[in-house]
C-alpha cells in the first residue's frame, strides 16, 4: 500500500475547491490517513521544494504557496496523506501536467489551474515518487499524525 502527500494550494483554497479535489481523489479508492491545516513557513516551503533550488521560478512558487497571489487572511495550506494501491501514480494522473495550460481538460489541474502573473497556480501538489512521498510526509506530518 502506497502513501502520498497532497497539499491543497492557496488558489484552490480561495476558490473553495478543497472538497471537490478530495472527493475526486477519494473516488479513486484512496483513503485519508492524515489531514491537517498548516500555516507553512517560508523555511518549510523551501525545504519542500528543495528540488527547485536555483531555478528562476522558485521564489515565485514559494510566494504563491504562502498565499501572496491570492486573497487569503493567512498562510494556510491543507495537507493530506492519502493511501491506496499505486496511490502515487494514480493521484499524479488525476492531477495532470504541472503546467495547467497543458494539463488534459479532465484532470484537476486542467480544470482548476491557471497561470497568473507568470506563476503556475495549479491547485494541488502530490508527491512524484515513493522517495519524494516518504520525504514529504516526514516533512509535513509527525509519525503519530498518520494512520498506520
Ligand atoms: P509538480 O508540482 O508537477 O511535481 P515540479 O516540477 O515538482 O512539478 O514543480 C513544483 C511546482 O513548481 C509546480 O507545481 C509549479 O507550481 C512550479 N513550477 C514548476 N515548473 C515551473 C516553471 O517552469 N515555471 C513556473 N513554475 C513552475
Ligand atoms: Mg514535484
Amino acid at each position: 500500500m502506497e502513501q502520498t502527500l497532497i497539499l491543497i494550494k492557496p488558489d484552490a483554497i480561495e476558490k473553495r475547491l478543497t472538497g471537490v479535489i478530495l472527493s475526486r481523489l477519494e473516488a479513486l479508492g484512496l483513503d485519508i490517513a492524515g489531514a491537517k491545516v498548516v500555516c507553512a513557513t517560508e523555511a518549510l516551503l523551501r525545504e519542500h521544494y528543495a528540488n527547485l533550488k536555483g531555478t528562476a521560478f522558485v521564489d515565485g512558487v514559494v510566494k504563491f504557496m504562502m498565499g501572496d497571489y491570492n486573497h487569503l487572511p493567512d498562510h494556510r495550506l491543507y495537507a493530506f496523506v492519502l493511501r491506496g494501491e499505486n496511490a502515487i501514480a494514480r493521484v499524479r494522473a488525476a492531477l495532470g501536467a504541472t503546467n495547467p495550460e497543458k494539463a488534459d481538460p479532465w484532470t484537476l489541474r486542467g480544470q482548476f489551474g491557471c497561470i497568473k502573473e507568470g506563476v503556475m497556480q495549479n491547485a494541488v501538489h502530490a508527491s512524484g515518487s515513493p522517495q519524494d512521498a516518504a520525504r514529504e510526509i516526514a516533512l509535513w506530518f509527525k509519525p503519530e499524525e498518520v494512520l498506520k
Side-chain angles (χ1 to χ4, degrees):
M1 196 82 92
E2 267 182 359
Q3 292 189 329
T4 184
L5 180 87
I6 305 300
L7 298 174
I8 307 295
K9 299 191 181 188
D11 58 321
I13 295 174
E14 183 183 31
K15 295 176 193 159
R16 301 191 188 279
L17 291 168
T18 305
V20 173
I21 292 167
L22 260 191
S23 116
R24 292 263 290 269
L25 297 177
E26 278 191 294
L28 299 176
L30 302 176
D31 262 349
I32 299 172
K36 71 203 298 193
V37 178
V38 187
C39 288
T41 61
E42 183 176 340
L44 174 61
L45 290 165
R46 289 202 183 270
E47 183 66 32
H48 174 77
Y49 281 129
N51 64 312
L52 302 183
K53 200 173 173 185
T55 64
F57 54 86
V58 65
D59 289 349
V61 171
V62 169
K63 279 179 75 173
F64 161 59
M65 292 296 280
M66 295 196 75
D68 281 22
Y69 296 98
N70 300 96
H71 301 95
L72 297 170
D74 46 47
H75 290 171
R76 85 183 68 175
L77 295 168
Y78 302 142
F80 297 92
V81 177
L82 297 187
R83 70 179 178 195
E85 290 301 326
N86 209 12
I88 294 168
R90 291 169 68 228
V91 170
R92 291 291 300 205
L95 257 58
T98 302
N99 182 338
E101 292 182 356
K102 297 203 172 130
D104 287 321
W106 54 85
T107 61
L108 291 167
R109 286 171 165 178
Q111 287 171 351
F112 303 129
C114 63
I115 299 182
K116 268 194 209 152
E117 301 180 60
V119 175
M120 288 181 196
Q121 303 201 359
N122 56 12
V124 43
H125 165 86
S127 307
S129 69
Q131 292 80 357
D132 283 349
R135 186 183 75 84
E136 293 171 1
I137 290 167
L139 198 56
W140 290 85
F141 285 86
K142 296 178 189 148
E144 64 270 25
E145 292 172 334
V146 182
L147 295 176
K148 296 285 175 284

